Amino acid sequence: MLNQPLLCLLATSAVALGAINIPNLDFNQEAIDSGLALQAINSYALLKATTHLSGTCTLDKLKIRQEWRTLSKPQRREYVAAVQCIQARRSLLPPGLVPAAESIFDDFVWVHYNQTPFSHGTGNFLSWHRYYMHTYETHLRACGYTGALPYWSWPLDLDSVASSPLFDGSDTSIGSDGTPIPHEGMKLNWPGNTPTGDPFVYVSPGSGGGCVHTGPFSNLTVNFGEVALPVYGKEERLSSADPTAGGQSRCLKRDLNEEPGRKWSTWRNITELILENKNIEWFQGVMQGMVNYTGGVASLGVHGAGHYMIGGDPGSDPWITPGDPGFYFHHAGIDRVWWLWQMLDLDNRRDVFGTNTAMNNPPSEDTTVEDWLRLDPLAEKVKIKDVISTVGGDLCYVYI
Amino acid sequence: MLNQPLLCLLATSAVALGAINIPNLDFNQEAIDSGLALQAINSYALLKATTHLSGTCTLDKLKIRQEWRTLSKPQRREYVAAVQCIQARRSLLPPGLVPAAESIFDDFVWVHYNQTPFSHGTGNFLSWHRYYMHTYETHLRACGYTGALPYWSWPLDLDSVASSPLFDGSDTSIGSDGTPIPHEGMKLNWPGNTPTGDPFVYVSPGSGGGCVHTGPFSNLTVNFGEVALPVYGKEERLSSADPTAGGQSRCLKRDLNEEPGRKWSTWRNITELILENKNIEWFQGVMQGMVNYTGGVASLGVHGAGHYMIGGDPGSDPWITPGDPGFYFHHAGIDRVWWLWQMLDLDNRRDVFGTNTAMNNPPSEDTTVEDWLRLDPLAEKVKIKDVISTVGGDLCYVYI
C-alpha cells in the first residue's frame, strides 16, 4: 500500500499536465491587425492555463480577470466602491513615518515610489508588478469587492480614450478626462526608455490636462508630491523637495490621449510583441521600449504607451503613477500581456533577465527567481518563483 | 490493493470536474453589441470545456476549431486542397444508386438531401448537424488536412461578405461571390420558418447571383438537381423532377449578401440568443427563426441568416445547400453557438426537444438522446447522447 499515494499523484498529474496542441501561431497580418489573433492567443492561453493548475490553485479558486467593459454595471460600481473603501481606510504604515500616506490607497503609491529604482528596468519588473497588482486585488476584496481585478485592453479605445467606458465620467467609470487646458505636450526621457536619456520621445497634448471633473475620483486628492513629473513643453521634470511630506495634496489630473496607443499599443504592437520575442530579455525590453531592443528607435513600448494614454498628475510621473486609479487597469493589462506570452510556452517561460537596479545603475547582482518581492506593509514578501505562474500557487487567476 | 484503481479514478475526477465560477453573464448592451460579450462567453466556454473532458477525449486529442481568418494562409490552402480531394474521391454509395453523387463531397449533399425531413425542424437538428460536421472534418483529415474544422463568425463580415477572407476570391478563400446579375430578391417561406408558410421573409438582392468567378471552387460543378430553390422575385421554388439523377451539373452560384446578417446575425442577435434562452426548446426555436418563438415576427434567425448571406445555388436550396463549400463554415458557426450555449450550463444542457419529423409533420415520436444519428455511407451511426458534449467522447473539440 505504500506506493498508492504516489501512484495516485501520477494519475492526477497526467490529467492536469496533458499536452495541448496549439495549432497555429502563424497568423497573417489582417488577423494580427484586427485583434482576432490576440483573441486566439488568449484562447490558447486559457487552454494552457486551466490544464496546468498546480499547487494550491484549484478550479474552484480560479479568478477570472476581465476587461472592464465586460463587467456588468453593478460589478463596476462594486469595484469603484472598493477603491473608495481603501482610500478611506487608514494607512498601514507606522504613524508619522510617511505623512503623505493617509490611506491604504496611498500606501500603494508609497510602496511603488519607494521601490521604483528596484522594480523598473530590473529583472523583477514584471514579477514585482504582478505581485503588486495581486495585492491590490486582495485589498479590494477585503473591502467588499467580490470580483477579480479588471484590466484595460488599450486598442479598444484608440478612437477616443475619453469616450472609453473606463474614463467616460459615468458612475460605472473611474472618472472622466481632465478639464481641457492648452499645453505643449511632453518630451520624455523616462527611466524605462534609455540609460542615457536619449533619444527623447515626444507625446502630443491629449484631450485634457486639468483636474478630473466628473464621475468617481473627481474628488480624489493626490497626496504625494511630484517626483519626476514631466513639465509640458520642456525637457525638465518637476520634483518636490520631499514627496512624502504632507501638505502637498492636489486634484487628480488626467490628459487622456490616443496618440501613444496608436503609435505603440495597437493590436499589431501587442500581438507582435508576444509572437516575435522568444526570450524574456527581448520580450520585456521591447515591451518597455528600451532602445537596445527597438533598433535604436525612440519608443514608449506597450508599457509606456498605456501610461501616457492616461497621463496627467500623477499618471505621467513614473514614481507615483499608482496615485491614479487608472494605473491598476493599465498594469493588469501589462500583466495579461506577459501571461499570454508565458502561456504560449509555459515550461520555458518561467525565467527572469536583468539585475536588481534600474538599467543596472548602479551595477548590481543578476535577478534570480529566488529573489524576494517586497510590498511592506501591504503584503508578506514572496519569492519571484512563487508568482512566475498565475496558476501555480496562491495567485490563481487567468485573463479572458 | 484492490481499491487502488478506484481511489485513483476518484482523485483524477476531482481534478477534471472541479467547479469553475463563471463570474458574469450580466453584460451591458455595449459589450453585447461590440462582440466583447460573445468573446467573454467563448472564454467561459473554454474554461468549462477543458475542465470537463471525459471518456476518450483527452487533452492531447483535443481539436481546436478556429475562425477561418485566424488560420495561417498555408493552413487555409491545406483546407481547400482537402475539400478538393474529397471532391475528387469517388462516391462511397453503391454504383448506380445515386447518379448525381460522383464524389464523397456529393455524398455529403446526398445524405443531407436524403435526411432533410428528419433533421430540420426536428429534435435532432443540432445534434445531427454536429455529427455531420464532425464527419466532414474526418473525411477532410483522411484527405490530408491536419487542422480542425474552421468556422465562420458572421458578424465580422457585415460590412461586405464579398470582401471576407472567406469569400474574397483569393487562393486562401473558398472562392468569390457570383458574377453580379440583376434580380428581384427572394420571398422565403422555407421549412424552418413556419408550419403554415406565413409570414414570408423577404431577402433583398445580394452582390452576386451568377456563377462563382474567381478562386477555389470557381470550377466546381453542382451535381444534384434543384429541390426547393427560391426563384428570384417569386414565391415559387424550382424543383427538378429527380434531383438525384445525373446530367444536371451546373456552375456553383453565390449571391453574397450582408442584409440577412445585419438583420438576424449581429453580435447582439447571437449573444442574446445564447443568453436569453434558458432551455433547448427556445434556444433552437429562436435560432431557427420559428414564428412560435419570435413573437410572430418574420425572421430567418441566426441559422437562416448565415445560409442567405451565401445564397445562390445550391446555397439557398435547403435540401442541397451543402453543395456549396461555404455551407460547412456556416454550420460550424451554428454548432459553435450551440456549444457556447451548452457550456454556460453544461450539466443541464444535454437534452433535446422536438419530434422526429420536420415541424412534426407528419406527426412522429418525440426525439430522445437514445435516438440514432445516421450518415450512411459516410460514417457509422451514433446516438445523440454520444455527441451531446463535444468533449465527452470521440468528437473531442472546442471552439476558440
Side-chain angles (χ1 to χ4, degrees):
Chain A
M1 291 295 283
L2 207 60
N3 282 333
Q4 187 180 314
L6 179 60
L7 282 169
C8 286
L9 192 66
L10 289 170
T12 305
S13 298
V15 169
L17 300 175
I20 287 262
N21 298 305
I22 291 184
N24 175 34
L25 290 173
D26 179 24
F27 300 102
N28 76 322
Q29 200 65 52
E30 292 89 329
I32 289 171
D33 293 351
S34 67
L36 288 174
L38 193 65
Q39 188 177 327
I41 291 169
N42 203 132
S43 293
Y44 295 151
L46 285 173
L47 293 171
K48 186 68 78 73
T50 56
T51 56
H52 283 73
L53 304 186
S54 65
T56 55
C57 182
T58 51
L59 280 175
D60 56 316
K61 292 183 193 153
L62 193 67
K63 289 190 281 294
I64 300 174
R65 293 186 175 181
Q66 300 190 193
E67 217 280 340
W68 179 247
R69 66 206 85 197
T70 70
L71 297 183
S72 70
K73 292 197 169 184
Q75 286 175 311
R76 295 185 217 174
R77 291 190 196 97
E78 187 187 83
Y79 176 90
V80 167
V83 177
Q84 290 165 337
C85 169
I86 67 168
Q87 288 167 347
R89 285 194 175 175
R90 192 181 299 270
S91 166
L92 301 173
L93 289 161
L97 182 66
V98 184
E102 299 178 7
S103 67
I104 291 179
F105 184 80
D106 288 335
D107 290 346
F108 277 91
V109 182
W110 184 77
V111 166
H112 191 272
Y113 161 78
N114 199 35
Q115 300 215 27
T116 292
F118 314 109
S119 60
H120 296 79
T122 53
N124 70 5
F125 167 67
L126 290 165
S127 56
W128 187 87
H129 283 85
R130 172 171 284 174
Y131 188 48
Y132 184 80
M133 298 306 301
H134 170 72
T135 300
Y136 191 71
E137 181 185 69
T138 302
H139 280 273
L140 293 180
R141 289 169 69 94
C143 256
Y145 180 58
T146 56
L149 204 66
Y151 71 91
W152 181 21
S153 179
W154 317 277
L156 296 173
D157 292 322
L158 297 188
D159 284 341
S160 167
V161 181
S163 304
S164 169
L166 188 57
F167 293 114
D168 64 8
S170 68
D171 73 334
T172 55
S173 74
I174 57 166
S176 68
D177 201 354
T179 300
I181 55 166
H183 67 77
E184 297 164 65
M186 288 179 287
K187 203 166 177 186
L188 297 173
N189 67 336
W190 53 290
N193 186 21
T194 149
T196 64
D198 276 302
F200 284 94
V201 174
Y202 178 69
V203 177
S204 303
S207 49
C211 300
V212 170
H213 51 79
T214 312
F217 310 117
S218 52
N219 293 322
L220 182 67
T221 57
V222 176
N223 295 329
F224 281 80
E226 301 86 352
V227 186
L229 185 70
V231 178
Y232 292 138
K234 301 190 175 174
E235 293 178 12
E236 68 199 46
R237 296 196 178 222
L238 183 63
S239 300
S240 158
D242 179 1
T244 68
Q248 303 182 76
S249 296
R250 58 201 184 280
C251 73
L252 172 65
K253 291 179 182 169
R254 286 185 183 141
D255 188 30
L256 300 179
N257 193 347
E258 298 77 53
E259 183 191 80
R262 290 179 184 173
K263 284 186 176 172
W264 300 297
S265 195
T266 61
W267 296 121
R268 182 188 290 202
N269 294 137
I270 299 163
T271 308
E272 292 185 348
L273 168 64
I274 292 169
L275 293 177
E276 294 183 357
N277 297 286
K278 306 298 188 189
N279 63 48
I280 186 65
E281 175 187 359
W282 276 82
F283 173 74
Q284 70 187 16
V286 173
M287 173 188 260
Q288 293 172 88
M290 291 176 177
V291 288
N292 291 346
Y293 302 96
T294 65
V297 176
S299 162
L300 294 183
V302 169
H303 169 248
H307 278 298
Y308 291 95
M309 290 174 77
I310 302 174
D313 175 21
S316 60
D317 186 328
W319 299 65
I320 58 168
T321 173
D324 186 326
F327 169 91
Y328 303 90
F329 291 84
H330 168 55
H331 258 282
I334 290 295
D335 186 62
R336 172 177 177 248
V337 173
W338 181 33
W339 178 82
L340 294 171
W341 181 83
Q342 288 186 300
M343 287 296 153
L344 293 184
D345 189 8
L346 183 59
D347 292 341
N348 297 309
R349 294 183 177 179
R350 296 170 173 272
D351 55 343
V352 294
F353 178 86
T355 72
N356 294 330
T357 45
M359 314 304 296
N360 197 31
N361 184 10
S364 60
E365 293 289 304
D366 283 350
T367 305
T368 80
V369 296
E370 297 293 338
D371 290 349
W372 294 101
L373 301 171
R374 295 173 192 276
L375 300 176
D376 319 75
L378 292 165
E380 299 293 318
K381 67 180 180 182
V382 299
K383 288 190 169 182
I384 290 176
K385 68 180 181 185
D386 295 325
V387 302
I388 207 78
S389 165
T390 72
V391 292
D394 292 342
L395 297 188
C396 204
Y397 63 79
V398 294
Y399 291 95
I400 71 168
Chain B
M1 289 297 281
L2 207 61
N3 283 333
Q4 187 180 313
L6 178 61
L7 282 168
C8 287
L9 191 67
L10 289 170
T12 305
S13 298
V15 170
L17 300 174
I20 287 261
N21 298 304
I22 291 183
N24 175 34
L25 291 172
D26 179 25
F27 300 102
N28 75 323
Q29 199 65 51
E30 291 91 329
I32 289 172
D33 293 352
S34 67
L36 288 174
L38 193 64
Q39 188 177 327
I41 290 168
N42 204 132
S43 293
Y44 295 151
L46 285 173
L47 294 171
K48 185 69 77 75
T50 55
T51 55
H52 282 73
L53 304 185
S54 64
T56 56
C57 182
T58 51
L59 280 176
D60 56 315
K61 292 183 193 154
L62 193 66
K63 288 190 282 293
I64 300 175
R65 293 186 174 180
Q66 300 191 194
E67 217 280 339
W68 179 247
R69 67 206 83 196
T70 70
L71 297 184
S72 70
K73 292 195 169 186
Q75 286 175 312
R76 294 185 219 175
R77 291 189 196 99
E78 187 186 81
Y79 176 91
V80 167
V83 176
Q84 290 165 337
C85 170
I86 66 169
Q87 288 167 347
R89 284 195 175 174
R90 194 181 298 271
S91 166
L92 302 174
L93 290 161
L97 182 67
V98 183
E102 301 178 7
S103 67
I104 290 180
F105 185 81
D106 288 337
D107 290 347
F108 276 91
V109 183
W110 183 76
V111 166
H112 190 271
Y113 160 78
N114 199 34
Q115 298 215 27
T116 292
F118 314 109
S119 61
H120 296 79
T122 52
N124 71 5
F125 167 67
L126 289 166
S127 56
W128 188 87
H129 282 85
R130 172 170 286 176
Y131 187 48
Y132 185 80
M133 299 306 301
H134 170 72
T135 300
Y136 191 71
E137 181 184 70
T138 302
H139 281 273
L140 293 180
R141 289 168 69 93
C143 256
Y145 180 57
T146 56
L149 203 66
Y151 71 91
W152 181 22
S153 179
W154 317 277
L156 296 173
D157 292 322
L158 298 188
D159 284 342
S160 167
V161 180
S163 304
S164 169
L166 188 57
F167 293 113
D168 64 10
S170 67
D171 73 334
T172 54
S173 74
I174 57 166
S176 68
D177 200 356
T179 301
I181 55 167
H183 67 77
E184 297 165 64
M186 289 179 285
K187 204 167 175 185
L188 299 173
N189 66 337
W190 53 289
N193 185 22
T194 149
T196 64
D198 278 301
F200 284 94
V201 174
Y202 178 70
V203 177
S204 302
S207 49
C211 300
V212 170
H213 51 79
T214 312
F217 310 118
S218 52
N219 292 324
L220 183 66
T221 56
V222 176
N223 295 329
F224 281 79
E226 301 86 351
V227 186
L229 185 71
V231 177
Y232 292 137
K234 301 190 175 175
E235 293 177 12
E236 67 200 47
R237 296 195 178 224
L238 184 63
S239 300
S240 156
D242 179 2
T244 67
Q248 303 182 77
S249 296
R250 58 201 184 282
C251 73
L252 171 66
K253 292 180 182 169
R254 285 184 183 143
D255 189 29
L256 300 180
N257 194 346
E258 298 76 55
E259 183 191 79
R262 291 180 184 172
K263 283 186 176 171
W264 302 296
S265 195
T266 61
W267 296 121
R268 183 189 289 202
N269 294 137
I270 298 162
T271 309
E272 292 185 348
L273 167 65
I274 291 168
L275 293 177
E276 293 183 358
N277 297 286
K278 306 298 188 187
N279 63 47
I280 187 63
E281 174 186 359
W282 276 82
F283 174 75
Q284 70 186 16
V286 172
M287 172 188 260
Q288 293 172 87
M290 292 176 176
V291 290
N292 292 345
Y293 302 95
T294 65
V297 176
S299 162
L300 294 182
V302 170
H303 169 248
H307 279 298
Y308 291 95
M309 290 173 78
I310 302 174
D313 173 22
S316 60
D317 186 328
W319 297 66
I320 57 168
T321 173
D324 186 327
F327 169 91
Y328 303 89
F329 291 83
H330 168 54
H331 258 281
I334 289 295
D335 186 61
R336 172 177 177 246
V337 173
W338 182 31
W339 178 81
L340 294 171
W341 181 83
Q342 286 187 302
M343 286 296 153
L344 294 184
D345 189 9
L346 184 59
D347 292 341
N348 297 307
R349 294 183 176 179
R350 297 169 173 272
D351 55 343
V352 294
F353 178 87
T355 73
N356 294 331
T357 45
M359 314 305 293
N360 197 31
N361 185 10
S364 60
E365 292 289 303
D366 283 349
T367 304
T368 80
V369 295
E370 297 293 337
D371 290 350
W372 294 100
L373 302 171
R374 295 173 192 277
L375 300 177
D376 320 75
L378 292 165
E380 298 293 318
K381 67 181 180 182
V382 298
K383 289 190 169 182
I384 290 178
K385 68 180 180 186
D386 295 325
V387 301
I388 206 76
S389 165
T390 71
V391 292
D394 293 341
L395 296 189
C396 204
Y397 64 79
V398 294
Y399 291 95
I400 71 169

